Amino acid sequence: DTAVSQTPKYLVTQMGNDKSIKCEQNLGHDTMYWYKQDSKKFLKIMFSYNNKELIINETVPNRFSPKSPDKAHLNLHINSLELGDSAVYFCASSPTDGNYGYTFGSGTRLTVV
Amino acid sequence: DAKTTQPTSMDCAEGRAANLPCNHSTISGNEYVYWYRQIHSQGPQYIIHGLKNNETNEMASLIITEDRKSSTLILPHATLRDTAVYYCIAGPSTQGGSEKLVFGKGTKLTVNP
């Protein structure tokens, strides 16, 4: 079983559309994250949730809305997609107790045309 | 989070040890040194972390200087599959709160046959 799974793996959509990316982890971790990796390969944190509660919200446009229905899932909804939203989005999770590192998903490559 | 400095790129011969340096001169007393790597088109993968003592696991060894201002990740017998971008991060001692892993540019390690 994949520890952190994201769907879809690839997403091509037109400007102005609304899309969602789903993330699920089966590691029993309490904390989940969304990272964005742009064309220059910089990995930047967007959000983190701990037990369904929003903890970190970096300077991300309001068009991005994370939702955590339970601690095993963290979805990312994006409204009114723009060309600049094209990137690879990575979901990750980590335990709260101890610091055993983050486990990342394999990424969702979003292309806005 | 403390900033880290890594060489942009390094080369290593297959079968030889790869020694990846990292400077973190402004690391605070409770920050850990984390190493992750990202193989092309995949999500980042946790490798190892440490606070003061040297650490070893099945993937690598981490050598931290006594003053904690620098560290070296050692891959004892590099293989072609170790070709990746390696990130050194001075990061949180706990997870689940407002702490976050901040990724820099990393070192592009190329293992040559």
Side-chain angles (χ1 to χ4, degrees):
Chain A
D1 281 343
T2 304
V4 179
S5 59
Q6 299 179 226
T7 53
K9 190 170 176 64
Y10 299 97
L11 185 53
V12 180
T13 187
Q14 290 187 326
M15 275 174 39
N17 283 351
D18 303 337
K19 290 293 178 185
S20 292
I21 306 172
K22 295 187 176 182
C23 179
E24 176 182 5
Q25 54 96 3
N26 62 5
L27 298 167
H29 290 168
D30 294 318
T31 307
M32 297 185 71
Y33 312 82
W34 278 110
Y35 276 77
K36 178 181 178 182
Q37 188 166 41
D38 59 24
S39 57
K40 295 183 179 177
K41 303 298 184 185
F42 290 117
L43 261 168
K44 292 183 180 177
I45 190 167
M46 301 173 70
F47 302 102
S48 79
Y49 270 74
N50 180 272
N51 262 319
K52 304 192 296 176
E53 180 184 350
L54 179 66
I55 301 297
I56 294 174
N57 184 348
E58 293 290 288
T59 318
V60 178
N62 291 337
R63 299 181 295 102
F64 289 79
S65 53
K67 284 188 173 53
S68 181
D70 55 62
K71 74 174 193 176
H73 295 83
L74 180 61
N75 304 322
L76 184 65
H77 188 75
I78 315 170
N79 289 326
S80 304
L81 277 154
E82 301 177 357
L83 294 177
D85 298 331
S86 295
V88 182
Y89 292 84
F90 289 101
C91 177
S93 71
S94 69
T96 303
D97 295 332
N99 51 357
Y100 303 105
Y102 293 13
T103 302
F104 282 82
S106 57
T108 295
R109 182 174 294 277
L110 171 65
T111 303
V112 182
V113 298
Chain B
D1 293 326
K3 291 185 74 172
T4 61
T5 306
Q6 299 177 252
T8 302
S9 63
M10 292 182 65
D11 283 273
C12 176
E14 190 178 17
R16 305 296 294 267
N19 298 296
L20 292 92
C22 178
N23 286 320
H24 32 78
S25 58
T26 59
I27 193 169
S28 63
N30 64 349
E31 284 183 314
Y32 281 71
V33 179
Y34 293 87
W35 282 85
Y36 283 76
R37 73 179 181 183
Q38 187 173 23
I39 297 170
H40 181 63
S41 298
Q42 297 182 22
Q45 177 189 23
Y46 164 80
I47 301 173
I48 199 167
H49 74 279
L51 183 62
K52 297 181 196 176
N53 300 323
N54 298 337
E55 302 287 344
T56 296
N57 63 21
E58 65 278 3
M59 289 183 69
S61 294
L62 173 60
I63 309 297
I64 303 174
T65 58
E66 196 167 339
D67 62 8
R68 301 211 325 124
K69 292 185 177 180
S70 65
S71 61
T72 301
L73 180 75
I74 301 172
L75 307 178
H77 305 287
T79 70
L80 299 179
R81 287 174 294 184
D82 292 323
T83 292
V85 177
Y86 287 77
Y87 297 98
C88 168
I89 303 167
S93 56
T94 59
Q95 294 165 160
S98 58
E99 318 86 5
K100 55 197 176 190
L101 282 183
V102 177
F103 287 79
K105 298 180 183 179
T107 296
K108 168 69 174 170
L109 174 70
T110 302
V111 180
N112 299 305

